[in-house]
Amino acid sequence: MNLHHLKVFLAVAEAGSISAGAERLHISQPAVTREIRDLEASLDLRLFDRQPRGVQLTEGGRRLLDYAQRIFNLERAAERDLRDFAQLGQGELNLGASATLGSYLLPSLISRFRTLHPQIFVSLEVSNTDVVTRQLDEGLVSLGFVEGPFVRSAYAHRLLARDALLPVVAPHHPLASSGRLAARMLQRYPLYMREPGSGARVSIEQAYRAHGLEPEASMAIGSTEALKRLLADGQGIAWLSQRIVERELASGELRHLQVQDLQIERDLHVLWRQGASLSPAPGAFLALSGATEQPDSNIKIF
């Protein structure tokens, strides 16, 4: 069915005459008459009885009127819905993030976003880099925040910040009071790391091997907070983000080992599917994050 014909029909049916329908649509009366005739011909059904003053719907016309009103009500509802969606008046934002970003750095950004766009439902799943990239591949999240290596050709990506991993121990660890250390000294003590698939673990393993060290994990823990607590045994060493141990270092709960010949840094990135157009909500969140394609640009997120 020609929807333009149907719109003309609805205008005449609601206005009660050809002339009033033409005025409502801002077209000529002959054009309206022609559209009605074409619609009646296509349906092989008379829709109006012509009266001395205006027109009256036939039984078929009354049946069509109900459908026409529903169709154009739905059209207006769709327009309102998409306008709200485009202007962030409604919608959802699904995020995936690895541990440091998801647990320590994204919550404040989400809070700022919710202040600006309170009608947007936000979900965040914290896991590790491998899981986040898998979620992106499966379309479960719109944006992924990762701290580990990823296949750069597979994802659109922007740099968020750079992060240092620090070797930390409990205050009563044998090395806690040492001055500058050689990296080989670390091999004498248990190494506590995140689970396989963690970006932090990959960064540590790569750095150790580049220095001729073997990164043998004595424990593999899926929680950064748990790693910090496990260091209380006074035996293990963990490389943790400088951003998440600041409080413990300041209070003396943990000690930073001064390793002179091994520093570990990593880039923190936001990813989305290559070639995918970002919807308004993830686009606005990306803009708010201050993510940049220029590594030396000012970083706003942290």
Side-chain angles (χ1 to χ4, degrees), residues 197-267:
S198 158
R201 178 167 179 150
V202 172
S203 297
I204 295 164
E205 290 173 339
Q206 290 177 344
Y208 265 55
R209 290 183 180 123
H211 284 73
L213 304 174
E214 188 57 40
E216 295 183 1
S218 298
M219 288 194 195
I221 309 296
S223 163
T224 304
E225 282 298 315
L227 274 180
K228 288 195 286 186
R229 291 185 172 87
L230 286 167
L231 290 174
D233 67 4
Q235 300 300 312
I237 298 171
W239 290 78
L240 299 176
S241 169
Q242 180 178 3
R243 301 170 185 274
I244 66 174
V245 293
E246 289 177 345
R247 183 186 62 80
E248 289 85 357
L249 293 177
S251 68
E253 295 174 57
L254 294 175
R255 296 283 179 85
H256 173 204
L257 299 181
Q258 302 298 321
V259 180
Q260 60 184 353
D261 55 344
L262 178 58
Q263 288 79 43
I264 304 178
E265 290 189 343
R266 61 199 178 153
D267 290 338

Side-chain angles (χ1 to χ4, degrees), residues 8-77:
V8 172
F9 162 80
L10 180 61
V12 172
E14 290 182 339
S17 70
I18 297 292
S19 59
E23 184 176 350
R24 176 182 290 193
L25 295 170
H26 306 291
I27 59 178
S28 68
Q29 291 187 43
V32 170
T33 299
R34 184 170 58 251
E35 296 286 350
I36 295 298
R37 285 176 178 169
D38 287 347
L39 179 59
E40 290 178 328
S42 69
L43 296 173
D44 193 22
L45 184 69
R46 181 173 290 277
L47 301 172
F48 294 104
D49 287 327
R50 279 64 176 175
Q51 303 291 329
R53 294 184 179 180
V55 293
Q56 183 176 353
L57 287 166
T58 64
E59 183 180 353
R62 288 194 297 272
R63 294 171 72 92
L64 182 59
L65 175 62
D66 177 61
Y67 286 105
Q69 288 173 328
R70 281 190 277 166
I71 287 169
F72 290 110
N73 283 340
L74 186 60
E75 178 195 45
R76 287 188 289 271

Side-chain angles (χ1 to χ4, degrees), residues 106-127:
L106 280 182
S108 61
L109 184 62
I110 291 173
S111 179
R112 286 163 54 197
F113 182 82
R114 288 279 300 153
T115 299
L116 294 170
H117 310 292
Q119 303 305 316
I120 302 297
F121 174 80
V122 181
S123 69
L124 170 65
E125 182 171 342
V126 179
S127 51

Side-chain angles (χ1 to χ4, degrees), residues 84-100:
D84 283 349
F85 179 71
Q87 297 173 356
L88 298 174
Q90 61 172 285
E92 60 183 41
L93 174 62
N94 298 310
L95 306 173
S98 48
T100 299

